[in-house]
Amino acid sequence: MSTAPRMSTPHVVVVMGVAGTGKTTIGPLLAAELGVPYAEGDDFHPPANIAKMSAGTPLDDDDRWPWLDAIGAWAHGQAGLGGVVSSSALKRVYRDRLRDGAPDALFLHLTGDRALIEERMADRKGHFMPTALLDSQFATLQPLQADEAGVSVDVSGTPTEITQRAVAALRRLDS
């Protein structure tokens, strides 16, 4: 755990990015560094979504709305307390939907080279998202725009290095 000062306001940070960027790895590490709770975005998916993705079928927007609303409700409940939650949040409209529930949420976009991300996806065990869906994830991705509160951090390096870059970027955003 870092001895650096905490962020001045306890924000809810949504760790976003395509599958395989490390949201589930970096999210808990970031939460520990910030001293706030972590929620795994995949846990908010209804069983039908997980079955669809496990079968190699991308979700459509109708599948995503209830999932995004559930994440937004959790984030709203953490307003003023802080928290970290993972969500692919690939499209601007998805991030807008999350902000409907949690207007002060910040986004941490984990970015990286497609080959590195595919390699990491291939190495992970027990996850329902197959590497076959990576192309659809990149095709859907709309990076953070200038008017969105958030930062982008490259996922090369170790989880500790990525987390430290994320904390530094969020602190700069907060100042």
Side-chain angles (χ1 to χ4, degrees), residues 45-64 128-130 133:
H45 275 298
N49 283 9
I50 292 173
K52 195 171 184 178
M53 289 183 285
S54 295
T57 305
L59 299 180
D60 60 30
D61 287 351
D62 288 336
D63 298 320
R64 287 186 182 96
F128 58 81
M129 179 70 84
L133 292 181

Side-chain angles (χ1 to χ4, degrees), residues 32 34 170:
L34 300 178
L170 288 165

Side-chain angles (χ1 to χ4, degrees), residues 1-147:
M1 180 77 80
S2 170
T3 58
R6 301 267 183 234
M7 291 175 64
S8 62
T9 306
H11 294 284
V12 173
V13 178
V14 179
V15 181
M16 63 168 280
V18 300
T21 53
K23 297 180 295 289
T24 299
T25 300
I26 302 306
L29 294 172
L30 179 64
E33 280 292 310
L34 300 178
V36 297
Y38 172 73
E40 172 54 52
D42 287 342
D43 293 343
F44 293 92
H45 275 298
N49 283 9
I50 292 173
K52 195 171 184 178
M53 289 183 285
S54 295
T57 305
L59 299 180
D60 60 30
D61 287 351
D62 288 336
D63 298 320
R64 287 186 182 96
W65 299 136
W67 173 63
L68 292 166
D69 291 343
I71 292 171
W74 182 87
H76 178 76
Q78 292 301 123
L81 303 171
V84 174
V85 62
S86 60
S87 169
S88 53
L90 298 177
K91 289 184 181 179
R92 169 70 185 249
V93 67
Y94 304 158
R95 296 186 298 272
D96 290 344
R97 185 83 171 227
L98 290 169
R99 280 188 290 267
D100 285 347
D104 295 329
L106 301 176
F107 290 86
L108 170 63
H109 182 189
L110 298 178
T111 64
D113 176 73
R114 189 197 182 288
L116 173 64
I117 293 167
E118 184 174 21
E119 179 183 317
R120 288 182 179 173
M121 281 184 79
D123 288 344
R124 66 186 183 180
K125 307 286 184 253
H127 195 277
F128 58 81
M129 179 70 84
T131 57
L133 292 181
L134 189 56
D135 286 335
S136 73
Q137 293 258 304
F138 273 104
T140 302
L141 177 63
Q142 296 171 343
L144 286 174
Q145 297 173 11
D147 65 332

Side-chain angles (χ1 to χ4, degrees), residues 131-165:
T131 57
L133 292 181
L134 189 56
D135 286 335
S136 73
Q137 293 258 304
F138 273 104
T140 302
L141 177 63
Q142 296 171 343
L144 286 174
Q145 297 173 11
D147 65 332
E148 294 185 89
V151 296
S152 295
V153 172
D154 184 77
V155 297
S156 59
T158 68
T160 300
E161 292 167 340
I162 298 162
T163 302
Q164 291 307 313
R165 285 196 300 270

